Amino acid sequence: MLHPFKAVSLSFKKAPLAIRELIALDEAACRRFLYTLHHDLGLSDLLVLSTCNRTEVYYAADHDQSTAIITALGHLKGLPESHAYASYFDVLDTYETAVLHLFEVAMGLDAQVVGDLQISNQVKNAYQWAADADAAGPFLHRLMHTIFFTNKRVQQETSFRDGAASTSYATLELVEELTADVANPRILVVGLGEIGADVCRHLGDSNLFTNVSICNRTRTKAEELALECGLRVLDFEDLVTGLKDADVVISSINRDSPFFTTDMVARLDVLNYKFFIDLSVPRSVEAEVENVPGVLVYNIDAIHSKASAALERRLAAVPQVRAIIAESITGLSDWTKEMLVSPTIQKLKNALEQIRQEEMDRYQKKMAPEEAKRMDEITRSLMQKFLKQPVLQLKAACKRGEADQVIDIITELFDLENQPTTV
C-alpha cells in the first residue's frame, strides 16, 4: 500500500438535492468538523470539502473509518439517524481510488458542469482550512500542490476551461460581453427560479458587477439570496423603476404567458440600449419586445447554443486532461514510494553518524583544532559516499515494488530496529 489515503463522498450522482442540503457544511462547520476528525477520531491528512453538489472527507487511516465519519457528520448536523443516509455515500478505501477521485473533482471532471472553474477554488479553500487546523500532513501537502500544478497545466495546455458550459455561466458570460463598454452596468434579475438563482450567485462572485439588484414576487426568497450573494433587493412594487434604470434585465419568471410585454417595455422610454435576457420556458419576454427601439432580446436558445458549443470543446479535451492527471499521479506515486523508505534512510544515517561521532570522540582529544576539523570533514564525506549506494538501491526498489524486502535486509544488516528516525 502506497499510503493509507481514503475518502468518503456524498455527491449529486447519488444524493438528491434535499439530502445534499441536509449534509452540507458552511466554512465554520467545516472547520469544526476538521477539529473533530483530527482530535477525536485521530485522522490525519484531512480535507473536508462541501459545496452545493458534494460533501466529502479525505483522510489517512490504516482502516476504513467511513462509518465513524458519517456518524460524526450526523452529530454535527443534528441528524441522530445518520446511518439512514449512509447509502448515499461512496466509500473510496484505497489510495488509488481516493487520489484519482480528488484529482477529478479538483479538475472539474466530476462536476455537474464539466470543467467547472468554481470547484478548484473550493478545493483550495478546503486545503487552507486543513492547514489552519494543522490537519494536513506531508502527503496531503504534496498531493494538493501536485493538484494545483496539474490544474495550471490543464488551464494552459487544453481547451477544457474554454467558454461557459452551463446556462447560468453562459448567461454571466453574455452579460460580460453586452456590457463590455458600459461603466458600472446596472443589472436587474427578475424571478428566482433555479437558473435565476444560479445566475445571481455567479454575479455575486464576479468582480465585474457591483450594481446588481434582484426582484421577486416573494420578497423573503429574494432577501435570502441577496444575503448569500451580497446583492440588493428591489421591491416588486418598484419593478418599473428598476426596469427603467437597468442596462440588463435577466428574466427567470415561471409563468404560462409572457410577463414583459411590448406595451410594458415601450412605456419605459428607452434612451440607450437595454438588453433583456430571457431564461424562462415558456418565454417570459414577448418576442415582439425586440421591436421596441433600443431593446435587444436574447432567449434561452441563444444561451443554450453558447453553452453547448463550450461543452463540446470541453468534452473533446477530456482525454487530454485525463492524460495530464495520469502523469501527475505517476509523479506523486513515485514520491510517495520514496516516502516509504525515508524513515529507513534516516535511521541508517543516524546509525552511521553515531558510529562516526563515537570514533571522533576517541581521537579528537589528541588532535589540534585544525586536525579535528579536517578529520570531521573527511569522515562526513566518507559517510555520505557510503550512504549513496544503499539509498539508490532503496529508491530503485521502490520503483520495482520491492521496497519491503530491501528495507528488511538493511534493517537487519545495520541493526536499525531500535534506531530512532531522528537524532
Side-chain angles (χ1 to χ4, degrees):
M1 180 174 64
L2 284 176
H3 191 276
F5 192 62
K6 300 172 176 61
V8 56
S9 166
L10 177 143
S11 77
F12 67 94
K13 291 185 174 179
K14 286 175 68 173
L17 180 59
I19 299 298
R20 302 201 306 272
E21 287 175 333
L22 276 178
I23 302 297
L25 307 172
D26 60 15
E27 178 181 342
C30 283
R31 289 180 181 273
R32 290 198 303 273
F33 198 36
L34 277 167
Y35 184 91
T36 298
L37 296 175
H38 190 41
H39 293 277
D40 296 350
L41 296 186
L43 304 180
S44 60
D45 283 314
L46 279 163
L47 191 76
V48 176
L49 176 65
S50 190
T51 73
C52 59
N53 284 328
R54 68 183 67 248
T55 295
E56 299 180 332
V57 176
Y58 298 85
Y59 66 98
D62 290 335
H63 304 289
D64 174 22
Q65 298 293 319
S66 58
T67 300
I69 291 170
I70 293 170
T71 300
L73 181 57
H75 289 323
L76 181 69
K77 295 295 292 183
L79 303 171
E81 302 295 324
S82 56
H83 62 275
Y85 305 100
S87 62
Y88 294 109
F89 286 84
D90 286 315
V91 176
L92 309 170
D93 60 357
T94 67
Y95 166 92
E96 290 79 9
T97 56
V99 166
L100 178 60
H101 182 69
L102 183 52
F103 266 93
E104 292 189 343
V105 168
M107 295 308 115
L109 281 172
D110 196 63
Q112 272 189 319
V113 179
V114 176
D116 186 353
L117 276 171
Q118 193 173 15
I119 188 66
S120 60
N121 291 326
Q122 292 165 332
V123 171
K124 283 182 181 179
N125 289 336
Y127 173 48
Q128 183 62 58
W129 303 336
D132 292 344
D134 199 25
F139 173 76
L140 186 65
H141 285 302
R142 182 76 176 209
L143 170 60
M144 296 309 301
H145 285 284
T146 303
I147 284 174
F148 299 151
F149 177 72
T150 304
N151 191 52
K152 186 176 181 180
R153 282 193 62 190
V154 168
Q155 187 82 25
Q156 293 176 342
E157 299 175 23
T158 76
S159 58
F160 189 59
R161 297 281 167 69
D162 290 357
S166 73
T167 300
S168 51
Y169 270 126
T171 301
L172 178 68
E173 193 175 73
L174 177 60
V175 173
E176 291 176 359
E177 292 172 6
L178 296 177
T179 61
D181 298 325
V182 181
N184 193 22
R186 293 160 294 186
I187 315 297
L188 174 62
V189 182
V190 185
L192 300 177
E194 184 176 351
I195 295 176
D198 281 345
V199 170
C200 289
R201 294 185 180 97
H202 297 320
L203 287 168
D205 289 339
S206 173
N207 295 323
L208 297 177
F209 305 107
T210 58
N211 194 346
V212 181
S213 300
I214 58 179
C215 183
N216 194 60
R217 195 178 293 275
T218 305
R219 183 180 171 89
T220 304
K221 187 174 183 180
E223 289 176 339
E224 291 174 356
L225 192 62
L227 183 63
E228 175 189 342
C229 304
L231 308 178
R232 289 190 294 274
V233 176
L234 177 72
D235 286 329
F236 193 76
E237 292 76 12
D238 298 328
L239 177 58
V240 173
T241 301
L243 292 171
K244 288 181 177 179
D245 292 339
D247 297 300
V248 179
V249 178
I250 302 170
S251 176
S252 182
I253 298 172
N254 183 17
R255 53 180 285 161
D256 294 332
S257 58
F259 178 81
F260 295 102
T261 63
T262 305
D263 288 343
M264 177 195 292
V265 176
R267 289 198 296 270
L268 297 177
D269 296 326
V270 177
L271 299 178
N272 297 311
Y273 278 112
K274 193 178 294 290
F275 304 101
F276 279 81
I277 301 175
D278 188 0
L279 303 179
S280 305
V281 179
R283 286 184 287 185
S284 59
V285 180
E286 200 171 58
E288 291 75 17
V289 163
E290 197 164 39
N291 295 330
V292 177
V295 175
L296 291 174
V297 179
Y298 296 82
N299 61 32
I300 194 70
D301 286 345
I303 301 295
H304 280 168
S305 176
K306 190 178 186 69
S308 297
L311 184 58
E312 287 178 10
R313 291 197 300 274
R314 291 186 180 190
L315 291 175
V318 166
Q320 191 178 358
V321 174
R322 291 196 183 280
I324 292 173
I325 289 175
E327 288 179 24
S328 296
I329 290 179
T330 298
L332 176 71
S333 296
D334 288 345
W335 177 87
T336 305
K337 289 173 184 175
E338 291 188 8
M339 282 288 289
L340 289 174
V341 300
S342 62
T344 301
I345 293 172
Q346 189 59 52
K347 285 182 178 181
L348 181 57
K349 286 182 178 179
N350 293 343
L352 294 176
E353 176 63 18
Q354 185 176 342
I355 294 170
R356 191 186 75 85
Q357 287 289 352
E358 288 171 357
E359 293 303 301
M360 284 292 297
D361 289 343
R362 286 177 59 191
Y363 296 104
Q364 203 166 16
K365 294 176 183 177
K366 303 175 185 178
M367 297 179 185
E370 283 299 319
E371 290 178 317
K373 181 180 178 183
R374 182 65 177 156
M375 182 62 71
D376 184 67
E377 291 173 352
I378 292 170
T379 54
R380 282 184 187 278
S381 177
L382 283 171
M383 190 181 81
Q384 292 300 322
K385 289 181 178 179
F386 182 84
L387 273 169
K388 183 177 180 181
Q389 195 59 34
V391 168
L392 289 176
Q393 288 297 326
L394 276 167
K395 291 183 176 181
C398 282
K399 295 185 184 298
R400 298 193 305 268
E402 300 171 357
D404 289 343
Q405 298 96 306
V406 178
I407 287 173
D408 289 342
I409 292 170
I410 290 178
T411 298
E412 185 175 354
L413 186 62
F414 291 95
D415 191 22
L416 303 181
E417 190 66 43
N418 300 314
Q419 182 70 39
T421 303
T422 58
V423 295

